[in-house]
């Protein structure tokens, strides 16, 4: 660091100048991407189909169909990994939970990821458990798909910065 008239002066190397220019370019790209996403959402996504609203003053909730439309121009494809839960239906029909990681990839390039989970049962208003499906195999499959859907929406919000516009239904 050099001083001029008692004030610190930072002298940048050619590499430092190049890094700052690169950072400026990245910020300009981020601003333009946000503008494009905002326009795309307003012009292409349909309320009640691609997103819905619950409550006052909160963000809209993104649906899987909406997440698919947002991932489409990015070229993202999902890849799933089960993190927790049974590999097959429980024999006694006891409740279980499945947790899934979704990675979004453009070819072999990582775009983002999200985690989602689902329970095999729903809780009634009086606290009783009701299975998602009566047939154990169908219940396991439906629970796995719900966890994948939740993970996909989370990954979409993370990878595309769509969390500015949407949240995930809890």
């Amino acid at each position: 660091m050099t001083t001029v008239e008692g004030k610190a002066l930072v002298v940048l190397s050619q590499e430092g100048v190049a890094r700052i220019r690169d950072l400026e370019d990245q910020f300009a790209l981020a601003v333009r991407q946000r503008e494009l996403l905002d326009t795309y959402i307003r012009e292409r996504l349909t309320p009640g189909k691609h997103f819905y609203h619950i409550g006052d003053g909160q963000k809209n909730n993104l649906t899987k169909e909406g997440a698919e439309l947002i991932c489409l121009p990015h070229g993202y494809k999902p890849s799933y990994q089960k993190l927790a839960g049974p590999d097959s239906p429980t024999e006694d029909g006891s409740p279980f939970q499945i947790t899934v990681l979704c990675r979004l990839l453009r070819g072999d390039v990582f775009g983002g990821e999200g985690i989602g989970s689902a329970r095999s049962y729903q809780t009634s208003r009086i606290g009783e458990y009701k299975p998602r499906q009566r047939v154990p195999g169908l219940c396991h499959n439906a629970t796995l798909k719900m966890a994948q859907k939740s993970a996909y929406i989370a990954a979409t919000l993370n990878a595309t910065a769509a969390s500015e516009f949407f949240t995930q239904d809890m």
Side-chain angles (χ1 to χ4, degrees), residues 2 5-6 37 43 47 54 63-65 72 83 91 97 101 113 115 120 129 134 137-138 145-146 149 155 170:
T2 307
E5 296 180 9
L37 181 60
E43 292 178 356
I54 296 178
T63 66
K64 183 171 184 281
E65 286 179 302
L72 185 65
L83 300 177
E91 293 194 21
Q97 183 166 323
L101 171 70
E113 64 186 10
I115 295 175
S120 63
Y129 296 136
R134 292 186 189 272
L138 294 177
K145 288 181 187 279
M146 290 297 291
K149 179 171 98 168
M170 295 298 173

Side-chain angles (χ1 to χ4, degrees), residues 57-80:
Q58 297 181 8
K59 296 178 191 175
N60 290 318
N61 293 277
L62 188 63
T63 66
K64 183 171 184 281
E65 286 179 302
E68 289 169 342
L69 282 181
I70 290 172
C71 284
L72 185 65
H74 290 87
Y76 289 145
K77 303 289 182 200
S79 173
Y80 299 100

Side-chain angles (χ1 to χ4, degrees), residues 96 120-121 131-144:
F96 59 90
S120 63
Y121 56 90
R132 192 173 291 284
Q133 293 278 339
R134 292 186 189 272
V135 178
L138 294 177
C139 183
H140 186 268
N141 187 54
T143 305
L144 178 61

